[in-house]
Amino acid sequence: MRSVVLVAVLLTATSLHAETGRDAWLRYTELDEAFAQHYRDALPSSIAVLGQDVVEQTARQELIRGIRGMLRRTLRTEQRLPADAAIVLGTSDEFRRLAPQFAITLGLTADAYWLKTTDIKGTRYILIVGGNPQGVLYGAFALLRKVALGDAVNELDDKQTPAVPIRWVNEWNNLNGTIERGYGGSSMFWENEHAREDMSRVSEYARMLASLGINGCSINNVNADPRVLSPDLIPQVARIADTLRPWGVKVAIAVDFGSPKTLGGLDTFDPLDPSVSAWWKSKVDDIYRAIPDFGGFVLKADSEGRVGPSTYGRTHADAANVVARPLKPHGGVIFYRGFVYDHHMDWENLKNDRARAAYDNFHDLNGKFDDNVIIQIKNGPIDFQVREPVSPLFGALDKTREAIELQITQEYFGQARHLVFLVPMWKETLDFDMHIRDRSTPVKKIVGAVVGVSNVGMDENWYGNHMSQANLYGFGRLAWNADLSPRQIAEEWTRLTFGADPVVAKTIVDMQLTSWRTFENYTGPLGLQTLTDIVGNHYGVAVEASERNGWGQWHKADSKGVGFDRTVATGTGFIGQYSPAAMKLYETLENCPDDLVLFMHHVPYTHKLHSGKTVIQYIYDSHYDGAETVERYAKEWKALNGRVDERRYQEVLAQLEYQAGQAIVWRDAVNNWFFKESGIADSKGRVGHHPGRIEAESMRLTGYTPMPVTPWEAASGATAVECGEAKCAAAVTYVGDAGRHNLVVQYFDHQDGVSRFRVWVGSQFVDEWTAADRLPTRKVDSSSSSRRTIRGLELRGGDEIRIEGIPDGRETAALDYIEIVSAQ
Ligand code: GCW
């Protein structure tokens, strides 16, 4: 509920000083005077904390900081309960013991909070009551959020209880300082095989986590280095724990199941061997001596080359339990990952199906895990693809604790170079009804923990992209309350991050709410999954990369049809892993939603969808739609010039313009590939026809030589030109109408150098740039394909357009094509 106060927020001038994004949604920018005055009147000017716990002290400090920032008031700190108005913080126990006059009888569970305005003999208090010290801190953040959002604080009576008790993030950080699937710079925890000396970023991050109610953080890659358990490293983990503790965030680590052997020197890591269980016990006891509030372990076993219980013919339950038992007396848990599959699967066996793996591996073990084991299950049965059904394993473990694992880092979602707001997708998963035993059982009611793969880095704005922060924010908010709507979350984040200007808010929220569909449209619609290089960087387009290899992420497109038959009737039987009601949704083409049709069925390209379109036409259209929508985002963003601080305005604009170019690379690659494979033309005549496009290989080349590109669809005409000399040029004579034109230059920018490009029209020099972007490839391919648009050139027939490329290092100043389009 937004109050009257909001109106005042809308009138508040945006503060437009340059922002780096480092403060994320916790900026606490000054409110305008009238508005600040309103809150100064509504909020007491002193603060008192009942308890001694460090987390409660943090809560007080945060309130002082936030109120000082927004309201230009430094709250008076009172050592004991003042007789006049105050904000009073404490746990419900502390209130009962130390401030009985408030008569707090309400029961609050761990982490819950209650914000309550109360009057005692005419004196006004705002109480922040927590079920525990963390709850107090979460309450403090909630109060500050209300002020920042313009919500009423006059008559507070707001009790919030988190949906699940365990809300953790996993950071896939390596001890050498790199981050697996991290796109925001290097690790804030580790550097050169040690914990960093300077923990200030960790502390800032912990604050962000606490502001969302996240209460645990696993600080190393699940592809775990056994050394993390070495006697040297444990004190360093303890130092990280000390930094997280004031924010109520527990530290956890990912462990390698082979550690008893590789690190401990035993000759086995068999979970049923007594020496192995003794080793785990002594290791766990050592950890708790150093870190009494240690959260626990994350374990990836028997997956993607990690060792596991299969070495000894043991089960996942044996493996999980041997590690869980010594954790138990200390209150620790183990998250055992459900992401177990065979990546050497025979692709010629039509019954093989990676999607089946998690369920097949775990459902028989239901009830066999100790009660401090939590099976951590990815949202979908494959691997964080652009669209997947819900993992059927959620419905198969009713006697075992379950966590849902969501990926905040955008591995298959454009890796911080593309704007994709993931909350709507997560929300669909959490709301999906598994219909277990014919009862309504949405995933959010099944899971007892929510885990997000976060992977923030040292980049000033944490993710390498301002917009990606919204995914961490949204993850935390949903983990706390899965009933929040994506719109509410997007609105909150946008207002907190970019201010209250309604035009800014509307533009950003609209982009965010449509961005998942947009990304899906130009990457992998209809349940095809992200058509990226799945054996490489998971970034650029490579339609066939997932086929004919053991990784099992097949879409099975051939000249006749496309899609993976996972039906019970004729396919792999995957659909049979769901309850009868969910099965019914997917098993027949009549019922199966279009969005997942190719995940569940193999159909001819001419199959008509519920929408009435054929599959092939849908593929073509969605790719054009997706690319056009991103172009629209960039235009809409430009309309915010002057409404967003200059630095973030420019950085987001550059990101959206880049994304618009990449969306075209995807559009053309996917559409050309399916056109070649199916032989069916686009009914709208666009695929394969690009008015104004001139292939670089057909230009007059000086020094440049044509090269085939792999995969072929990554370059227009399957060919680029590259320069093997100090300097090369490609020229063409313009033959079109006279007038204002935009000139697009499609070139390649990889990691091995910084090539330069210069452009002339006749003798007039019109543009130059360097290929210095940070893109995940060392090759001429779809990931390096980049776009430069030179706007508004007045061209006349007969003009020579000439592009000069100057290679650098191993980068060859390669060109794909140019396009000349009217700017009218
Ligand atoms: O999505 C895949 C990633 C791997 C990751 C693995 C996992 C940590 O490509 O980088 O390894 O999933 O979740 O274990």
Side-chain angles (χ1 to χ4, degrees):
M1 185 197 68
R2 294 281 117 89
S3 73
V4 185
V5 183
L6 186 62
V7 178
V9 182
L10 304 183
L11 300 174
T12 311
T14 323
S15 91
L16 290 180
H17 62 278
E19 294 200 42
T20 61
R22 186 160 176 164
D23 293 331
W25 52 86
L26 297 172
R27 294 153 60 242
Y28 301 143
T29 41
E30 265 184 33
L31 305 182
D32 84 343
E33 184 45 33
F35 191 43
Q37 187 59 49
H38 165 89
Y39 278 114
R40 283 196 298 264
D41 292 344
L43 296 173
S45 56
S46 328
I47 185 165
V49 184
L50 299 179
Q52 301 301 319
D53 193 285
V54 61
V55 176
E56 289 174 68
Q57 310 312 313
T58 307
R60 177 185 52 201
Q61 285 316 112
E62 189 68 21
L63 277 165
I64 292 175
R65 174 176 177 175
I67 292 198
R68 181 186 282 159
M70 292 186 285
L71 309 183
R72 292 178 297 284
R73 162 192 275 166
T74 303
L75 290 171
R76 254 183 88 79
T77 314
E78 302 287 352
Q79 294 316 323
R80 59 188 60 169
L81 204 59
D84 47 3
I87 303 175
V88 186
L89 278 62
T91 63
S92 43
D93 269 5
E94 288 158 356
F95 269 97
R96 272 190 286 272
R97 279 190 291 113
L98 305 170
Q101 61 272 42
F102 293 112
I104 301 293
T105 50
L106 185 82
L108 289 173
T109 49
D111 297 0
Y113 64 82
W114 184 34
L115 304 180
K116 175 75 179 137
T117 315
T118 189
D119 264 282
I120 293 192
K121 295 187 197 128
T123 306
R124 189 178 175 73
Y125 295 95
I126 290 185
L127 310 184
I128 303 185
V129 189
N132 57 1
Q134 281 86 332
V136 176
L137 178 59
Y138 304 151
F141 275 115
L143 180 60
L144 291 168
R145 187 160 59 228
K146 283 179 192 294
V147 175
L149 289 172
D151 287 354
V153 297
N154 299 46
E155 292 305 327
L156 289 170
D157 187 2
D158 185 8
K159 182 185 164 210
Q160 295 281 334
T161 304
V164 293
I166 305 185
R167 306 167 302 279
W168 282 18
V169 283
N170 288 177
E171 311 290 335
W172 291 349
N173 289 210
N174 297 311
L175 303 186
N176 66 8
T178 58
I179 303 181
E180 178 151 351
R181 315 300 177 189
Y183 313 105
S186 51
S187 171
M188 68 176 81
F189 301 100
W190 308 105
E191 176 179 54
N192 298 327
E193 326 296 330
H194 285 93
R196 274 183 190 272
E197 277 311 309
D198 179 359
M199 282 283 144
S200 50
R201 285 282 285 197
V202 174
S203 172
E204 282 177 55
Y205 182 49
R207 173 172 169 254
M208 286 160 71
L209 297 178
S211 76
L212 303 169
I214 293 170
N215 56 10
C217 177
S218 160
I219 55 172
N220 63 313
N221 194 348
V222 290
N223 291 329
D225 188 326
R227 287 175 303 171
V228 72
L229 289 175
S230 68
D232 264 13
L233 266 273
I234 291 175
Q236 300 180 36
V237 175
R239 201 150 58 73
I240 297 173
D242 293 343
T243 311
L244 298 176
R245 186 170 300 112
W247 299 97
V249 179
K250 285 186 177 179
V251 81
I253 53 180
V255 291
D256 177 65
F257 195 62
S259 302
K261 190 170 171 184
T262 46
L263 184 74
L266 305 185
D267 57 4
T268 177
F269 57 91
D270 179 353
L272 298 191
D273 188 299
S275 68
V276 169
S277 54
W279 187 87
W280 282 110
K281 175 165 181 350
S282 107
K283 196 43 86 181
V284 166
D285 290 346
D286 285 351
I287 294 176
Y288 277 93
R289 261 190 294 280
I291 312 166
D293 57 353
F294 180 70
F297 293 140
V298 185
L299 175 55
K300 171 177 178 180
D302 277 332
S303 173
E304 297 186 332
R306 312 300 304 171
V307 297
S310 67
T311 308
Y312 301 98
R314 310 300 186 201
T315 70
H316 294 295
D318 297 330
N321 294 342
V322 72
V323 185
R325 279 177 194 147
L327 289 165
K328 170 94 180 180
H330 301 285
V333 294
I334 169 172
F335 282 90
Y336 194 95
R337 295 183 88 230
F339 183 65
V340 176
Y341 70 103
D342 169 15
H343 68 283
H344 297 291
M345 225 184 308
D346 175 9
W347 55 269
E348 283 177 297
N349 180 343
L350 295 180
K351 294 290 174 191
N352 275 348
D353 183 0
R354 169 171 170 185
R356 293 187 57 114
Y359 180 98
D360 284 347
N361 279 304
F362 285 88
H363 80 284
D364 274 351
L365 298 172
N366 185 20
K368 303 233 161 71
F369 294 93
D370 283 12
D371 64 5
N372 61 331
V373 176
I374 304 167
I375 305 300
Q376 180 166 320
I377 305 167
K378 290 190 182 186
N379 57 290
I382 300 283
D383 187 10
F384 303 134
Q385 297 301 293
V386 68
R387 189 176 293 263
E388 293 187 46
V390 167
S391 171
L393 186 55
F394 288 115
L397 295 178
D398 59 351
K399 296 191 193 72
T400 293
R401 290 170 76 183
E402 294 178 44
I404 185 167
E405 177 180 316
L406 303 171
Q407 197 183 40
I408 304 163
T409 189
Q410 292 170 226
E411 177 179 355
Y412 285 95
F413 286 87
Q415 304 186 355
R417 298 311 306 268
H418 295 230
L419 159 68
V420 191
F421 182 57
L422 297 167
V423 171
M425 179 179 82
W426 297 333
K427 177 78 176 149
E428 269 189 37
T429 307
L430 290 163
D431 285 347
F432 183 82
D433 195 339
M434 304 293 292
H435 283 293
I436 310 301
R437 281 187 288 281
D438 267 341
R439 283 202 307 266
S440 164
T441 37
V443 172
K444 65 185 170 195
K445 295 277 188 256
I446 294 177
V447 297
V450 179
V451 177
V453 178
S454 174
N455 290 8
V456 290
M458 290 292 283
D459 273 7
E460 195 72 0
N461 66 26
W462 304 94
Y463 276 112
N465 171 356
H466 296 288
M467 295 300 188
S468 294
Q469 288 180 4
N471 289 324
L472 178 58
Y473 184 85
F475 165 79
R477 297 291 285 140
L478 273 186
W480 181 273
N481 179 1
D483 292 331
L484 292 175
S485 73
R487 172 169 293 277
Q488 180 181 341
I489 293 173
E491 284 176 351
E492 278 181 16
W493 178 81
T494 302
R495 285 176 197 284
L496 295 171
T497 309
F498 283 99
D501 181 335
V503 178
V504 173
K506 180 169 184 337
T507 308
I508 296 179
V509 169
D510 283 353
M511 279 183 202
Q512 286 180 320
L513 294 179
T514 54
S515 61
W516 170 37
R517 173 68 75 187
T518 301
F519 185 78
E520 176 184 39
N521 276 346
Y522 64 79
T523 56
L526 301 176
L528 276 168
Q529 311 170 64
T530 319
L531 294 170
T532 187
D533 183 357
I534 77 130
V535 288
N537 60 17
H538 300 183
Y539 180 68
V541 48
V543 182
E544 264 173 294
S546 56
E547 289 302 298
R548 290 174 290 282
N549 60 45
W551 294 87
Q553 217 161 292
W554 314 311
H555 51 69
K556 308 207 167 188
D558 59 20
S559 62
K560 296 195 185 60
V562 57
F564 198 155
D565 184 356
R566 293 187 157 111
T567 61
V568 175
T570 54
T572 66
F574 163 77
I575 295 172
Q577 297 183 336
Y578 291 98
S579 66
M583 259 180 80
K584 218 165 138 199
L585 185 64
Y586 297 134
E587 177 72 9
T588 62
L589 275 169
E590 292 67 52
N591 291 349
C592 187
D594 286 350
D595 283 337
L596 283 169
V597 66
L598 302 181
F599 193 93
M600 303 292 181
H601 297 269
H602 186 82
V603 295
Y605 290 106
T606 50
H607 170 74
K608 272 225 169 94
L609 298 164
H610 297 302
S611 70
K613 278 189 190 177
T614 61
V615 163
I616 190 71
Q617 194 57 40
Y618 187 95
I619 292 176
Y620 296 151
D621 288 351
S622 68
H623 282 80
Y624 274 90
D625 285 355
E628 273 156 29
T629 309
V630 186
E631 196 151 350
R632 177 166 60 74
Y633 291 164
K635 276 203 194 100
E636 287 170 359
W637 183 261
K638 279 189 184 158
L640 301 184
N641 196 357
R643 291 175 175 269
V644 170
D645 64 281
E646 185 63 12
R647 175 164 174 176
R648 288 189 300 172
Y649 170 77
Q650 292 298 349
E651 288 175 355
V652 173
L653 178 62
Q655 180 259 309
L656 288 172
E657 287 185 332
Y658 167 81
Q659 183 182 351
Q662 260 289 302
I664 291 173
V665 175
W666 274 88
R667 177 196 77 189
D668 291 349
V670 174
N671 282 348
N672 288 338
W673 192 92
F674 277 100
F675 177 40
K676 185 171 173 202
E677 195 65 26
S678 70
I680 301 173
D682 167 22
S683 68
K684 299 183 185 147
R686 299 155 301 184
V687 176
H689 299 108
H690 301 285
R693 185 175 293 190
I694 301 164
E695 296 295 339
E697 57 275 20
S698 71
M699 294 168 75
R700 287 190 295 281
L701 303 178
T702 315
Y704 269 122
T705 49
M707 63 168 290
V709 173
T710 312
W712 65 267
E713 71 271 19
S716 192
T719 310
V721 300
E722 59 177 349
C723 177
E725 298 172 15
K727 187 196 279 185
C728 300
V732 70
T733 305
Y734 176 65
V735 292
D737 295 340
R740 211 155 60 83
H741 288 81
N742 294 337
L743 171 65
V744 169
V745 181
Q746 196 73 25
Y747 65 100
F748 294 89
D749 179 357
H750 46 89
Q751 279 175 0
D752 290 359
V754 180
S755 307
R756 277 186 296 151
F757 295 93
R758 294 193 241 180
V759 180
W760 282 266
V761 175
S763 58
Q764 187 185 357
F765 173 71
V766 294
D767 196 19
E768 68 181 325
W769 68 93
T770 53
D773 207 341
R774 191 168 72 172
L775 296 166
T777 180
R778 293 177 191 282
K779 289 196 324 224
V780 169
D781 62 15
S782 61
S783 299
S784 56
S785 185
S786 301
R787 199 172 181 84
R788 176 84 175 184
T789 304
I790 308 163
R791 295 188 194 279
L793 294 177
E794 289 291 352
L795 297 180
R796 299 278 178 278
D799 282 346
E800 179 184 73
I801 296 172
R802 186 160 170 278
I803 301 164
E804 195 177 273
I806 302 162
D808 177 57
R810 290 159 54 116
E811 194 179 75
T812 54
L815 293 170
D816 189 359
Y817 61 83
I818 66 168
E819 222 162 65
I820 305 168
V821 285
S822 167
Q824 303 309 320

